[in-house]
């Protein structure tokens, strides 16, 4: 239990200190290094498979969009707007970045991700 307690403490610390949640497991931080070292061990591989497989399957089977970067949402929104309205989207990227519909889409994605993440605990 000592090792798992340490993982929990490091994970909580990384969550609390992460500037943006989408960067949490992309960084080369203490948590990712610990997880890599633990996963290389025999018992670690079996444990991670047992714990993570149901979560990974649930994430893979979801239709939730994982994009939370407004700049990357804009092209998707523009296509959606043009298909829905039949009109070209004539706003600049700066205007699109502040477009209430883009911000609504961003908020929707964040709420969906929070709900999905909350279902794991």
């Amino acid at each position: 239990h000592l090792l798992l307690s340490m993982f929990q403490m490091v994970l909580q610390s990384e969550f609390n200190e992460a500037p943006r949640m989408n960067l949490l497991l992309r960084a080369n931080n203490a948590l990712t290094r610990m997880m890599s070292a633990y996963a290389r061990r025999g018992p670690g591989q079996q444990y991670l498979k047992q714990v993570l497989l149901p979560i990974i399957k649930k994430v893979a089977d979801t239709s939730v969009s994982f994009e939370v970067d407004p700049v990357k949402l804009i092209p998707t929104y523009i296509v959606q707007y043009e298909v829905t309205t039949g009109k070209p989207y004539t706003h600049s990227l700066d205007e699109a970045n502040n477009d209430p519909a883009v911000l609504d889409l961003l908020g929707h994605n964040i709420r969906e991700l929070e709900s999905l993440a909350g279902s794991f605990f």
Side-chain angles (χ1 to χ4, degrees):
H1 283 321
L2 184 59
L3 187 57
L4 294 178
S5 295
M6 186 171 66
F7 266 113
Q8 182 179 6
M9 287 173 35
V10 171
L11 181 60
Q12 186 63 47
S13 173
E14 292 296 335
F15 267 97
N16 291 339
E17 295 177 16
R20 293 176 45 201
M21 286 299 135
N22 64 332
L23 301 177
L24 183 64
L25 294 177
R26 292 183 184 178
N28 185 23
N29 55 35
L31 176 63
T32 56
R33 289 191 301 270
M34 284 176 58
M35 288 176 62
S36 294
Y38 186 77
R40 289 187 185 103
R41 300 174 52 225
Q45 289 178 356
Q46 185 59 32
Y47 174 76
L48 287 176
K49 184 176 181 180
Q50 176 185 352
V51 170
L52 295 178
L53 189 60
I55 294 171
I56 291 170
K57 282 183 178 181
K58 188 172 184 176
V59 169
D61 292 342
T62 186
S63 62
V64 173
S65 171
F66 296 103
E67 190 55 69
V68 293
D69 183 348
V71 173
K72 292 181 180 178
L73 280 175
I74 291 169
T76 302
Y77 173 72
I78 290 172
V79 169
Q80 183 182 19
Y81 174 87
E82 291 178 347
V83 167
T84 304
T85 65
K87 301 175 187 176
Y89 189 82
T90 57
H91 303 290
S92 70
L93 285 178
D94 285 336
E95 291 171 326
N97 199 27
N98 295 314
D99 187 318
V102 173
L103 298 175
D104 285 346
L105 182 58
L106 175 64
H108 171 77
N109 287 1
I110 291 171
R111 286 188 300 278
E112 289 288 325
L113 286 171
E114 288 173 339
S115 175
L116 180 62
S119 71
F120 300 134
F121 300 103

